Amino acid sequence: MIQNMEYSEDELLQLISPGFTLLDEYTQRQVYRSFHSLTYTMVLYIIQDYNLVQDVIQESFLKALKKKPYTSDINHCKGWLKLTTRNLALNYLRKYKKNRKESDVDSVFILNTIPSYAEPVEKQVESKLLKEFIMTSLNSLKPEYRVLIELRWQNQYSYQEIADELQTTPEIIQQKLHRARNALRKQIKDWMNEHGR
């Protein structure tokens, strides 16, 4: 068993490997904490459920212990760990999206449809139906698109901030957001045509 040593954050991430069990308990905890701090924020933005976030991080850590490729390049190591964790989080989101309580994303899209007490009951009902449909439409989007929409409009992230968080380029984020908006717009337009609005 390898004895207590002091490691930098980067060195701790490099210790994620099948040989993890040979480390002493103190170092194992440090390695996990380092991995947790690297991935927590990203997973929280995607999942938005504390308990599921912990599950995703733990499962991702176990996967990394078994499958992380050996590399001396710490940037490649961090990139692989983040990408693997992000993909696992998106898979969890797909799996649990039907049971998941949605956050208040609707306020971003329907600011003009919030019913006031001066509106007739018919308008309030229509607004409520539209609000429910928009939430359903968001749920039916690809999880990746929904995450981008939430980061952009609910959390007010710039394209660059989203790109940094998801380890990609602002151009790709812009393209994907354009596709997500078009998909949402088409669903809303079809619904409004269907309901004679």
Side-chain angles (χ1 to χ4, degrees), residues 106-107 109-116 119 123-124 126-128 130-131 134 192:
D106 51 326
S107 64
F109 297 101
I110 56 174
L111 294 175
N112 296 330
T113 62
I114 297 173
S116 72
E119 287 184 70
K123 287 270 189 198
Q124 290 181 20
E126 284 179 6
S127 294
K128 184 175 180 179
L130 180 59
K131 180 179 181 177
I134 289 172
M192 291 184 84

Side-chain angles (χ1 to χ4, degrees), residues 51-66:
N51 293 321
L52 274 180
V53 167
Q54 299 308 319
D55 291 347
V56 168
I57 291 173
Q58 289 171 8
E59 188 172 328
S60 183
F61 183 74
L62 293 173
K63 183 176 183 178
L65 286 177
K66 294 177 186 172

Side-chain angles (χ1 to χ4, degrees), residues 14-157:
Q14 291 286 23
L15 292 174
I16 297 173
S17 69
F20 178 78
T21 56
L22 300 175
L23 300 172
D24 62 278
E25 187 177 336
Y26 174 77
T27 305
Q28 287 178 353
R29 288 177 197 266
Q30 284 186 310
V31 170
Y32 182 76
R33 285 186 188 122
S34 181
F35 178 80
H36 190 278
S37 68
L38 176 72
T39 58
Y40 178 79
T41 304
M42 175 184 60
V43 176
L44 184 62
Y45 282 130
I46 294 171
I47 302 286
Q48 296 184 356
D49 177 319
Y50 176 79
N51 293 321
L52 274 180
V53 167
Q54 299 308 319
D55 291 347
V56 168
I57 291 173
Q58 289 171 8
E59 188 172 328
S60 183
F61 183 74
L62 293 173
K63 183 176 183 178
L65 286 177
K66 294 177 186 172
K67 299 187 177 184
K68 186 187 94 146
Y70 175 77
T71 177
S72 58
D73 180 6
I74 189 60
N75 292 326
H76 182 265
C77 175
K78 285 180 179 180
W80 187 89
L81 292 170
K82 284 183 176 183
L83 182 65
T84 301
T85 305
R86 182 191 69 133
N87 290 344
L88 192 62
L90 289 172
N91 288 342
Y92 259 79
L93 197 58
R94 281 186 207 103
K95 185 176 178 182
Y96 293 109
K97 76 178 182 178
K98 290 180 183 175
N99 300 328
R100 187 174 165 254
K101 299 286 183 217
E102 294 302 323
S103 58
D104 191 23
V105 178
D106 51 326
S107 64
V108 176
F109 297 101
I110 56 174
L111 294 175
N112 296 330
T113 62
I114 297 173
S116 72
Y117 295 108
E119 287 184 70
V121 173
E122 183 179 309
K123 287 270 189 198
Q124 290 181 20
V125 170
E126 284 179 6
S127 294
K128 184 175 180 179
L129 286 173
L130 180 59
K131 180 179 181 177
E132 289 172 0
F133 179 75
I134 289 172
M135 288 306 299
T136 302
S137 296
L138 281 172
N139 289 336
S140 70
L141 290 175
K142 288 181 177 180
E144 180 179 30
Y145 288 171
R146 195 174 84 241
V147 167
L148 290 173
I149 287 173
E150 289 176 0
L151 288 174
R152 178 70 176 159
W153 286 286
Q154 183 181 5
N155 298 337
Q156 302 292 312
Y157 275 35

